[in-house]
Amino acid sequence: SEAREQGSEIIVSLVPVKRDLKQMFQSLEITFDSSTSAAKMIIMNEKGGNSTTLVFTNVRTGAAVDASLFE
């Protein structure tokens, strides 16, 4: 694992150590906004060369969330 600063972002690269995760993912990259510490993007690099990217936009903090959404 490693972390590096790039402009106003912190990028953390993670390499799975558990066997079941290693079979699926080569690495995960999480990009954080350094001023808020909020995640901005996650890139999941798969063993076969594909990747999935999740980008978080219009993030609201402190918003009320109904508990029934998690049932």
Side-chain angles (χ1 to χ4, degrees):
S1 299
E2 83 172 17
R4 66 185 186 280
E5 225 173 311
Q6 187 173 320
S8 64
E9 300 175 336
I10 298 170
I11 301 170
V12 177
S13 297
L14 304 170
V15 176
V17 293
K18 287 192 173 184
R19 184 176 177 221
D20 55 340
L21 289 175
K22 284 173 85 169
Q23 290 177 348
M24 201 163 137
F25 296 109
Q26 181 177 353
S27 65
L28 301 171
E29 280 190 7
I30 307 171
T31 302
F32 295 91
D33 182 321
S34 61
S35 64
T36 64
S37 299
K40 294 173 65 174
M41 180 171 53
I42 299 174
I43 301 173
M44 298 177 284
N45 297 303
E46 299 172 19
K47 278 286 191 181
N50 292 327
S51 66
T52 300
T53 302
L54 306 171
V55 178
F56 303 101
T57 59
N58 301 321
V59 175
R60 294 183 295 156
T61 59
V65 177
D66 190 331
S68 67
L69 294 172
F70 299 97
E71 293 178 355

